[in-house]
Amino acid sequence: LLGLNTIILTCWTAISPLKWERVHKGATDDFGRQLQSHGMCTLNSKKDIAYIVLLLIINLAVLLLANIQAYQARTITVEFSESQYIAIINSSMLQSGIIGGPLLVIARDNPAAFVLVTVGGTFVICMSILLLIFIPKMKYLKKWKKKSSPGSSNLSGIQVLNHPKGDELEL
């Protein structure tokens, strides 16, 4: 997936790179100079939309396939089963795209709103991934440490028994 995205983005950059465009607002000073403007990268031609559509199709197909596989693996019971959390992460990413995509289109002419929507969407996706992967593991580890015997210590899943003389071994 990373390789495919890299190839498409490299071809897009080599064949038809984005063009920097500065948009001036209507306000001018006494000498006719523009007071406000903002710059952004724009598409060179209508055929650049094909790259965007191709990237969207590939990434959405992979996201939907991951949702299907997480759904199929939901009944597998293993000690560290993550399929439930991966399904929630994928659903969260899908919802972020469904809500964030139209918001990006609406906010494209307002740079402050565009940055806010982009940063907010990135934050939601990253935090959903990190929290839903690591919080259950930390909870399981805490519960596992409570169940371990008091006469031994656990270090990274390796049980180290106390030394017969009563001294603890240091690793």
Side-chain angles (χ1 to χ4, degrees):
L1 179 64
L2 177 65
L4 197 56
N5 278 323
T6 303
I7 290 169
I8 293 170
L9 290 172
T10 302
C11 290
W12 186 5
T13 302
I15 295 170
S16 181
L18 297 176
K19 182 180 71 172
W20 177 259
E21 183 178 299
R22 181 159 294 280
V23 178
H24 295 281
K25 302 288 181 169
T28 58
D29 64 3
D30 294 337
F31 300 105
R33 296 177 293 197
Q34 296 288 330
L35 294 176
Q36 292 181 346
S37 68
H38 71 273
M40 62 184 175
C41 289
T42 58
L43 302 175
N44 274 336
S45 65
K46 296 288 184 188
K47 65 182 178 183
D48 289 346
I49 294 174
Y51 293 106
I52 297 170
V53 169
L54 186 60
L55 286 170
L56 282 173
I57 289 172
I58 290 170
N59 289 303
L60 285 176
V62 169
L63 183 61
L64 290 174
L65 180 65
N67 274 325
I68 291 168
Q69 288 181 344
Y71 179 77
Q72 290 172 345
R74 74 189 184 283
T75 57
I76 298 174
T77 55
V78 208
E79 192 173 14
F80 293 108
S81 177
E82 296 178 340
S83 62
Q84 175 187 6
Y85 300 110
I86 291 172
I88 295 170
I89 290 168
N90 287 333
S91 300
S92 171
M93 290 171 62
L94 198 58
Q95 286 177 345
S96 295
I98 290 170
I99 294 170
L103 284 176
L104 284 173
V105 171
I106 292 169
R108 73 173 173 242
D109 294 330
N110 185 348
F114 188 80
V115 169
L116 180 69
V117 171
T118 305
V119 169
T122 305
F123 177 78
V124 166
I125 290 172
C126 291
M127 291 309 290
S128 68
I129 292 170
L130 292 173
L131 292 177
L132 287 168
I133 289 294
F134 290 113
I135 297 290
K137 288 181 182 178
M138 292 184 332
K139 288 172 72 175
Y140 181 79
L141 183 64
K142 188 176 180 180
K143 185 172 80 172
W144 184 70
K145 283 184 177 181
K146 284 182 182 179
K147 286 194 314 185
S148 65
S149 63
S152 63
S153 59
N154 292 311
L155 179 66
S156 301
I158 302 171
Q159 188 173 24
V160 180
L161 298 175
N162 291 338
H163 194 269
K165 295 181 182 177
D167 298 333
E168 298 244 352
L169 291 176
E170 292 185 24
L171 296 177

